[in-house]
Amino acid sequence: MNHFINKKVKFIDLGKKDYKETWDYQELLFAEIVATKIENRKKGLKDQQVTTNYLLFVEHPHVYTLGKSGELSHLLLDEAQLAGKDATFYKINRGGDITYHGPGQLVGYPLLDLDNFFTDIHKYLRYLEEAIILTLAEYGVEAGRIEGLTGVWLDHKERLNPRKICALGVKSSRWVTMHGFAFNVNADLSYFGNIVPCGIADKAVTSLHLELGRPVDEEEVKVKVKQHLANLFEMEWEDS
């Protein structure tokens, strides 16, 4: 538990950035936060430092990522086919199975010391989902959760055609988080046809622009998601 609570969060919009470069950047920030926590354990209360929190927004080129609990067979492309689609593939250290990132998708990576907010990973995941659910409601799109599955879904009640619009996959160590969510805003869904998304073969994926029947202003979506995250986590934004 932190002696000094810091609810300030440095927001950084990385724009369009390579997945591996962003992953390395996350690892750097994650290590910095964890190192501060470890050092604080060696110090008296008056000498302890606050831990820094970050929220990164980014859009990646076409890439498939496989989490620790995923199966490689859920990627339906070989190396040559990946290259033909101008896509890359990485095994990574988050939870979850396989997912896709690409243009038209808002990817959010909160690097938070949950000791500054609450130490409950289940609640953390639900808050990430809730920020997307509330954003979708502003566009007149009803979304929610399906029991036993992470992420944000449409047709989550009747389940006649349940489809995922936002995937989640996170890592946490010493209550510090990394990785996060991928929200399909103007995404090319054909790329999802090359995987078994999140290991779920019998449910579809969708994108906000398809649900609305028009392209969506991605900068506007960023503002809405950022505001809902701030409200839910009681964050204060800090210049990065």
Side-chain angles (χ1 to χ4, degrees):
M1 184 175 179
N2 294 349
H3 181 66
F4 298 108
I5 300 300
N6 176 31
K7 290 184 175 290
K8 292 182 178 179
V9 178
K10 293 186 177 183
F11 173 71
I12 304 172
D13 189 338
L14 296 172
K16 297 180 180 179
K17 196 171 184 67
D18 175 75
Y19 184 83
K20 184 62 166 60
E21 288 181 35
T22 309
W23 185 11
D24 290 343
Y25 184 49
Q26 277 195 85
E27 292 277 15
L28 187 69
L29 298 179
F30 180 85
E32 168 199 295
I33 300 168
V34 170
T36 301
K37 297 192 78 167
I38 291 172
E39 283 301 309
N40 280 344
R41 290 188 175 185
K42 304 173 186 176
K43 298 176 180 177
L45 294 182
K46 65 181 180 64
D47 296 320
Q48 292 193 4
Q49 296 183 328
V50 296
T51 50
T52 308
N53 307 293
Y54 299 90
L55 173 63
L56 311 181
F57 276 180
V58 66
E59 180 181 88
H60 293 305
H62 303 296
V63 61
Y64 297 102
T65 68
L66 183 68
K68 292 184 294 183
S69 58
E71 296 183 23
L72 187 56
S73 62
H74 292 160
L75 175 65
L76 308 179
L77 302 172
D78 59 26
E79 287 188 19
Q81 290 170 318
L82 277 170
K85 293 186 175 293
D86 197 26
T88 53
F89 169 72
Y90 295 101
K91 292 182 179 179
I92 61 174
N93 60 355
R94 61 161 170 79
D97 204 286
I98 196 164
T99 195
Y100 159 78
H101 300 311
Q105 187 184 73
L106 172 60
V107 179
Y109 296 129
L111 291 109
L112 307 179
D113 178 3
L114 291 183
D115 271 321
N116 290 320
F117 301 94
F118 48 77
T119 50
D120 184 331
I121 291 295
H122 179 80
K123 182 177 179 180
Y124 172 69
L125 290 168
R126 301 296 81 80
Y127 272 19
L128 295 185
E129 292 167 346
E130 190 66 18
I132 305 302
I133 291 168
L134 292 171
T135 298
L136 288 166
E138 292 196 63
Y139 289 94
V141 176
E142 184 182 2
R145 304 173 181 84
I146 294 179
E147 187 176 352
L149 301 174
T150 59
V152 177
W153 298 80
L154 307 190
D155 192 16
H156 60 292
K157 293 179 181 177
E158 298 297 329
R159 300 191 195 179
L160 298 176
N161 178 30
R163 49 210 185 275
K164 179 180 279 192
I165 198 165
C166 181
L168 265 66
V170 305
K171 172 188 174 181
S172 173
S173 177
R174 297 179 186 268
W175 295 113
V176 179
T177 67
M178 66 179 290
H179 300 298
F181 62 85
F183 178 19
N184 299 329
V185 180
N186 293 306
D188 180 352
L189 299 188
S190 68
Y191 278 80
F192 285 96
N194 304 314
I195 60 173
V196 180
C198 300
I200 304 167
D202 63 343
K203 292 181 175 61
V205 293
T206 191
S207 179
L208 181 55
H209 78 290
L210 294 177
E211 299 297 328
L212 297 180
R214 61 174 174 82
V216 182
D217 183 337
E218 293 174 34
E219 293 304 314
E220 180 183 83
V221 171
K222 289 179 184 179
V223 171
K224 294 179 185 299
V225 172
K226 182 183 172 187
Q227 186 59 55
H228 288 305
L229 287 170
N231 292 342
L232 289 162
F233 284 88
E234 299 180 348
M235 296 172 170
E236 302 172 40
W237 300 118
E238 181 180 18
D239 292 335
S240 59

